[in-house]
Amino acid sequence: MALATGKDFIGLVGHTPLVDMSHVVSAGGDVRVVAKAEWTNPGGSVKDRPAARMILEGERGVRLTKDKIILDATSGNTGIAYACLAAARGYRLKLCVPANISPERKHMLAALGAEVIYTSAQEGSDGAIREARRLFDEDPERYYYPDQYGNDENWRAHYATTGPEIWEETGGAVTHFVATVGTGGTLMGTGRFLKEKNPSIQVIAVEPDSPFHGLEGMKHMATSIVPKIYDRGFAGETLFVSTEAAHAAIRKTARKGGLLVGLSSGAALTAAELVAGRLIKARQRGLVVTVLPDNADKYLTERFWKEA
Amino acid sequence: MPVTILIPTVLRQYTGNQATVAVDGKTVGDTLQNLAAAHPGLKTHIFTDNGKLRSFVNVFVNEDDIRQKGDMNAPVKNGDEVSIVPSIAGGRR
Ligand SMILES: Cc1ncc(COP(=O)(O)O)c(C=O)c1O
């Protein structure tokens, strides 16, 4: 009799549910809004997909061996994904992280046994990137540095999984794909796959409306180090969302949808609602698909829950 | 009484690229008002339309979060460092 086997961490990544958000986001007529619930990944966010692929790629190319330390810069979710993967596969891990990530994330990284170097809160994620590069340049033999901002395996993870999942789950009916951008991996990989399937699908990027924002994981590209893998010309349009608008969308999603979603999810839903609104006004049909990168577990101590 | 305000990198475009700005004031509220008066471009980034601190902005006097110290009424003294940090719920360290 064969023994039943369970899945390992990597086996649990992906195949996230597609959730109907039409009752939360004002849609109507022939317009629907659906979203990938990425927090159901084992590490709790969309970043499990690229992190798993980057680690596997390192192992395949023998750049990642047991004597190497995995090193990268992250504002949190990629770090948590790496920490899970490193623990499960037996690697040491060193992360450069801005000091103002949420306490919940700090606790998670510590619980998973990751070594964390906190960089200046004033410099944000760019300060963390600079520190990771500095450490790597100092001793390149010691580290495996996936560099999620410049690694093609990041967007390829979405090209290979998120894109096909959305295509299948919507039966090819998706008309608009809306994604928040941090490294740009989600948008570039999923967007490329969907565009190849149907070039008339519109890809819409979502950025914070200001360089100074509270949308964890997202980047205001005009004032940041633009990730090497992100082509700002790829999306047909970029929508800019304020932190307060994302907060309002999160409260609405909690109170009308019973789902506690994260900050960038709030931004994604705000943008998806705008896109849906335009379609309704123009009396067009549409199936707007977006990605909810994580849930609210790491943001429950934020003050915005108590506002109007 | 000069207090030093630390400006996050992304807001330095509104302070003529200065990383720190020295201002006077007895409370955090005073110092931030004086900062915004000296560099008006900062105002909408830090405050809401009705003059409250935006909910994702954390302010620290040295190591202490002002929300535990009386918010805008938190006292400051000569030589204190006030830092403005976009918060993902976080502390400074
Ligand atoms: C919460 C959150 N939202 C959005 C993003 C952006 O995703 P991507 O890096 O694929 O652009 C990230 C990733 O860094 C994230 O952690």
Side-chain angles (χ1 to χ4, degrees):
Chain A
M1 195 181 73
L3 289 173
T5 51
K7 288 180 173 176
D8 65 0
F9 185 90
I10 287 181
L12 293 170
V13 177
H15 298 288
T16 55
L18 190 70
V19 185
D20 188 359
M21 300 302 291
S22 304
H23 58 303
V24 173
V25 170
S26 344
D30 283 329
V31 180
R32 282 192 26 223
V33 176
V34 294
K36 292 287 272 179
E38 290 298 310
W39 63 84
T40 64
N41 282 302
S45 85
V46 69
K47 302 307 293 201
D48 284 358
R49 296 178 190 259
R53 190 164 171 117
M54 288 187 289
I55 296 297
L56 289 176
E57 161 66 17
E59 289 176 350
R60 214 174 290 122
V62 279
R63 285 187 298 148
L64 174 57
T65 44
K66 296 281 159 161
D67 55 320
K68 294 268 175 94
I69 301 171
I70 301 170
L71 167 74
D72 215 338
T74 149
S75 63
N77 280 331
T78 311
I80 291 164
Y82 284 142
C84 296
L85 286 156
R89 298 176 89 78
Y91 296 107
R92 275 186 65 196
L93 171 68
K94 200 181 273 190
L95 296 172
C96 301
V97 173
N100 54 325
I101 63 162
S102 69
E104 291 93 332
R105 273 168 212 258
K106 291 180 184 171
H107 295 319
M108 288 175 82
L109 292 172
L112 289 161
E115 183 188 335
V116 182
I117 296 163
Y118 288 109
T119 58
S120 155
Q122 304 286 331
E123 290 178 32
S125 64
D126 286 354
I129 295 173
R130 279 188 286 266
E131 177 64 8
R133 285 183 186 162
R134 191 189 66 77
L135 285 170
F136 181 72
D137 290 342
E138 234 172 51
D139 197 352
E141 290 307 308
R142 206 161 154 231
Y143 298 108
Y144 171 61
Y145 178 32
D147 182 16
Q148 59 162 339
Y149 292 92
N151 190 331
D152 287 325
E153 298 307 318
N154 175 349
W155 67 263
R156 282 189 191 130
H158 295 285
Y159 183 89
T161 67
T162 321
E165 287 172 30
I166 290 172
W167 184 253
E168 275 159 39
E169 287 157 346
T170 63
V174 47
T175 59
H176 296 73
F177 177 64
V178 176
T180 58
V181 291
T183 66
T186 308
L187 181 116
M188 296 302 298
T190 312
R192 278 187 179 126
F193 180 88
L194 294 175
K195 282 264 188 205
E196 280 175 24
K197 284 287 178 187
N198 176 0
S200 69
I201 293 172
Q202 294 189 41
V203 175
I204 296 136
V206 188
E207 290 186 27
D209 71 340
S210 145
F212 189 63
H213 65 88
L215 300 173
E216 170 85 52
M218 293 173 62
K219 258 175 175 276
H220 183 257
M221 294 294 173
T223 54
S224 309
I225 304 177
V226 177
K228 224 189 294 166
I229 62 165
Y230 187 55
D231 171 3
R232 282 196 92 195
F234 177 75
E237 183 181 11
T238 300
L239 294 174
F240 295 89
V241 173
S242 74
T243 301
E244 283 81 359
H247 289 168
I250 292 166
R251 287 190 298 264
K252 193 164 135 195
T253 306
R255 287 153 205 180
K256 287 197 172 172
L259 294 171
L260 293 168
V261 301
L263 288 155
S264 60
S265 299
L269 289 169
T270 303
E273 184 162 37
L274 208 122
V275 171
R278 285 183 191 161
L279 289 167
I280 293 166
K281 213 166 157 193
R283 298 180 191 284
Q284 286 174 345
R285 307 189 59 217
L287 178 55
V288 181
V289 180
T290 191
V291 172
L292 305 179
D294 66 0
N295 70 7
D297 285 0
K298 299 160 215 132
Y299 314 106
L300 290 171
T301 54
E302 290 250 342
R303 286 179 292 271
F304 70 82
W305 294 103
K306 298 198 189 97
E307 287 167 8
Chain B
M1 289 209 301
V3 168
T4 303
I5 303 193
L6 308 185
I7 309 295
T9 315
V10 294
L11 289 181
R12 289 179 198 161
Q13 57 184 300
Y14 306 106
T15 60
N17 275 330
Q18 296 177 78
T20 60
V21 176
V23 293
D24 289 321
K26 289 194 168 59
T27 64
V28 167
D30 293 347
T31 62
L32 293 181
Q33 292 299 342
N34 290 339
L35 173 71
H39 302 282
L42 282 174
K43 200 164 172 184
T44 58
H45 291 281
I46 302 174
F47 296 111
T48 63
D49 291 343
N50 44 28
K52 279 175 57 184
L53 203 56
R54 292 175 75 188
S55 66
F56 71 94
V57 179
N58 276 342
V59 176
F60 296 85
V61 177
N62 305 319
E63 299 301 306
D64 300 324
D65 189 333
I66 61 161
R67 315 236 181 203
Q68 270 101 57
K69 299 265 167 177
D71 260 302
M72 292 303 218
N73 296 321
V76 289
K77 57 180 193 314
N78 201 4
D80 277 349
E81 265 185 9
V82 173
S83 41
I84 300 169
V85 180
S87 146
I88 317 297
R92 196 172 154 207
R93 301 268 167 231

